[in-house]
Every structure is written in structure tokens, then in C-alpha cells.
Amino acid sequence: LAQAAVSRVAFCRLLASSMAPAPSNVGGEGRSELLRGIPNFRKAPQPTSGRLSAVNPVPAGVTRSDRQPRNGHDVARELRARANAADKVQWLASVPASAFAGIFRVEIDVELLQKILEAMMSACSEREAREVDTEALDFDVVDASFKVLSALCEQCAAAASFAASFSGQKERARSVELLNIFSRVAGKSDSDLKAIRDVLVPEAE
């Protein structure tokens, strides 16, 4: 009986020692001999770098409203988005004068050129009919139209002249009247208007 009791005590000690945590070389955690080979899901969190992941500031498919036009298609789209002629001229005036050479580096669409002149003529005619003092206006559409058209004809003379060559009698008459408004309302001289006239209506010299 005494020998059986000693054997039972020895067995219990052996079992207890097998259940004791064993040292681990991962994160300093101890694991039971019986649990070895079973994945440990309580691992320490992995260290993260101090850098934040790159985030796209503009969601896909969203176009910035303040982006400058890159070509004639962008210009046409912006003009269609504005129903009021004065708003169209104001948007055109927001484009840097030096940018027109890049926008129309290949060509100016014939229809687009006429849309620009049509908006300028409509806005300038309305401005002249109202006889408002220029100093009282927040935005002078006549002066803006002159500056935009001057930049267009100077920066893209060849492309603008080619597009204007397809103009009919009605379109040419509109261009002449627009130049007259520049002279009457904005006080522009013949020398001021020469660059525009040479491109749009050279036969009117």
C-alpha cells in the first residue's frame, strides 16, 4: 500500500509539472506543454510605423471646380454650365491670359469661338443698354470681354484666325459690332483693337 501511495504522488507531480507554463521565445509568454502547436490568438499588437498611410485628398470621380481648363473641350463644358452671358464672360476672365496658348495649342473649334463671341456680344450689349457707370460695377463685362478676346487673338492668332475664317456674314457683323462696343463703351482706340480685328475681321481694315 505504501508503494502504491508513493507511485500515485509521483504521478501527480509529473502531471502537475507537465501542465506548468513553459517559457516562450515569442513576446515572453509562457504556454503549457499540452497547448504547444495550437495557434495563439492573443499575440501582442504589431508595431506600426510613425508614417500615416497615403490618402487621396480628392475622391475618385470628383472634379475640382477651381481647376483650370486644359483644352477646348473643358472650355466648352464650362460655358454650357453657365446660362447667363455675363457669367460666361466672368468665367473666361478668370482664366489666366497666358493659359490660352496651351488650351488652344492645336486649334480652336469654329463653333466654340462663335459661342464665346456670342456670349460677349450679349453681355456687352446689355451692359451698354443699362448705361451704368463703370466705377459702380463690381465686374465690368465690356473691359473683361476686351481683355479675354485680346489675349485669345494674341496668344492663338493662327488658330483663332483659321476658326474665324469660317464665319458667315452674320457672325462677321457681330464681331464688327462687338469691336464698336469696345470703342464706344470702353474707349478703346483703333490701335487697341487692331490685334482683334486682324484675326476676326481682317477685311474690315
Side-chain angles (χ1 to χ4, degrees):
L1 294 176
Q3 185 177 1
V6 171
S7 299
R8 188 178 296 108
V9 172
F11 175 77
C12 290
R13 288 178 178 177
L14 179 61
L15 181 61
S17 64
S18 67
M19 295 294 291
S24 173
N25 58 357
V26 180
E29 296 180 359
R31 303 194 66 184
S32 169
E33 293 288 341
L34 299 179
L35 298 178
R36 286 186 177 181
I38 300 177
N40 183 5
F41 297 102
R42 295 185 298 174
K43 291 182 179 180
Q46 296 294 329
T48 57
S49 62
R51 296 178 301 175
L52 296 176
S53 59
V55 178
N56 184 6
V58 181
V62 176
T63 303
R64 293 183 53 158
S65 59
D66 60 344
R67 182 170 59 86
Q68 293 296 339
R70 296 171 299 176
N71 48 49
H73 295 292
D74 289 347
V75 174
R77 184 185 63 246
E78 293 293 339
L79 293 181
R80 287 195 301 269
R82 293 160 173 80
N84 185 277
D87 291 341
K88 295 180 180 181
V89 174
Q90 189 166 9
W91 178 81
L92 287 168
S94 71
V95 179
S98 59
F100 286 112
I103 295 172
F104 300 112
R105 61 184 176 275
V106 178
E107 65 176 358
I108 299 178
D109 182 74
V110 175
E111 183 178 357
L112 176 58
L113 177 62
Q114 295 305 323
K115 289 294 183 182
I116 292 174
L117 294 173
E118 181 182 2
M120 290 180 174
M121 183 63 189
S122 177
C124 290
S125 297
E126 182 180 354
R127 157 71 179 81
E128 184 180 25
R130 288 165 53 193
E131 298 182 353
V132 180
D133 186 4
T134 303
E135 296 181 356
L137 297 174
D138 295 331
F139 175 73
D140 186 357
V141 71
V142 177
D143 185 63
S145 296
F146 170 76
K147 290 179 178 177
V148 170
L149 205 51
S150 294
L152 191 63
C153 292
E154 291 173 4
Q155 297 282 335
C156 324
S161 179
F162 181 75
S165 66
F166 292 91
S167 301
Q169 183 177 358
K170 177 182 177 182
E171 289 76 22
R172 293 178 183 275
R174 179 171 59 199
S175 296
V176 170
E177 179 58 21
L178 183 59
L179 293 176
N180 291 336
I181 292 178
F182 290 159
S183 178
R184 292 193 303 264
V185 179
K188 302 301 179 182
S189 65
D190 288 342
S191 59
D192 295 329
L193 301 173
K194 186 178 187 307
I196 301 175
R197 183 181 291 108
D198 288 347
V199 169
L200 299 183
V201 281
E203 70 278 4
E205 289 283 355

